[in-house]
């Protein structure tokens, strides 16, 4: 089982739709969680961190469920510019605090 | 502000040749990361440095790969000899702090093709 798993998609949604992605992680001691966004042939960029109580940034909402070991990303009122790959990232606990990256979920927002 | 700067942007070379990728992190950042990205395996951490010191190189595929960070503003990733399976996009990233909690800022990447 991979340490971080995501549905690769693609998710095809119309403009204005609400779409949600989930990501599961295997290490129950993982400490930090992030969503990064990567456009085609570009570098990953931090979208938002995920906090235990859940957090919102404009149209984007991130939630963490430690009991079930998953995080989610909800995008409301999706825009054409939201089309990208969304990478789920988990930071290990302990001395080695490197980030573990999911393979990403592809989103295409259509006019 | 200048972001992470990588060079070259593209590299095409024949197998067996030495390849050197370069990275200049964001000024003031203490951590530097080298990643490789392929369609099949996604983003894989190769090695990371804290304050110029290599902390974890367990992701380096084999002895053909080596990385150095001689000072706070420069790092290299070298492949010698290169093989076709090394073809990928190689990203360098840097972050402030050394506890892993800060976001990572990525360079534009080097697209490497080994023929």
């Amino acid at each position: 089982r991979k340490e971080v798993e995501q549905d690769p998609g693609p998710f095809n949604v119309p403009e204005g739709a609400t779409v949600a992605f989930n990501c599961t992680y295997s290490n129950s001691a993982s400490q930090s969680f992030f969503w990064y966004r990567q456009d085609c042939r570009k570098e990953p960029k931090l979208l938002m961190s995920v906090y235990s109580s859940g957090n919102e940034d404009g149209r984007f909402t991130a939630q963490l469920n430690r009991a079930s070991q998953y995080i989610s990303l909800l995008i409301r009122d999706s825009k054409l510019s939201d089309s990208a790959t969304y990478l789920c990232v988990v930071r290990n606990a302990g001395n080695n605090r490197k980030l573990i990256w999911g393979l990403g979920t592809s989103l295409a927002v259509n006019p | 502000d200048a972001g992470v700067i990588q060079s070259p942007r593209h590299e095409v070379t024949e197998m067996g040749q030495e390849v050197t990728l370069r990275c200049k992190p964001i000024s003031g950042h203490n951590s530097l990361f080298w990643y490789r990205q392929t369609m099949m395996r996604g983003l894989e951490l190769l090695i990371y440095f804290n304050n110029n010191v290599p902390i974890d190189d367990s992701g380096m595929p084999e002895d053909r790969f080596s990385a150095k960070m001689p000072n706070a503003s420069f790092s290299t990733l070298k492949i010698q000899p290169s093989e076709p399976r090394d073809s990928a996009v190689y990203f360098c990233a840097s972050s402030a702090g050394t506890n892993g909690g800060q976001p990572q800022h990525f360079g534009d990447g080097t697209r490497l093709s080994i023929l």
Side-chain angles (χ1 to χ4, degrees), chain A residues 66-87:
Chain A
R66 284 193 182 274
S68 301
Q69 293 182 209
Y70 76 84
I71 66 172
S72 64
L73 178 67
L74 181 79
I75 305 175
R76 291 182 300 278
D77 187 23
S78 52
K79 312 290 185 190
L80 296 177
S81 57
D82 294 334
S83 298
T85 296
Y86 291 84
L87 300 165

Side-chain angles (χ1 to χ4, degrees), chain A residues 2 32 34 36 38 41-44 46 87 91 95-99 101-103, chain B residues 35 37 40-43 45 48 56 58 91 99-101 103-104 106-108 111:
Chain A
K2 292 179 182 173
S32 303
F34 308 91
Y36 277 70
Q38 186 172 22
R41 301 181 73 81
K42 296 286 190 180
E43 75 279 16
L46 178 67
L87 300 165
R91 179 166 70 89
N95 291 329
N96 186 341
R97 301 192 175 198
K98 65 183 182 183
L99 299 181
W101 296 73
L103 290 180
Chain B
Y35 288 92
Q37 187 174 36
M40 290 300 295
R41 300 171 69 91
L43 261 173
L45 179 66
Y48 77 93
D56 182 354
S58 60
F91 286 107
N99 67 358
Q104 296 182 9
F106 284 73
D108 292 336
R111 297 186 178 279

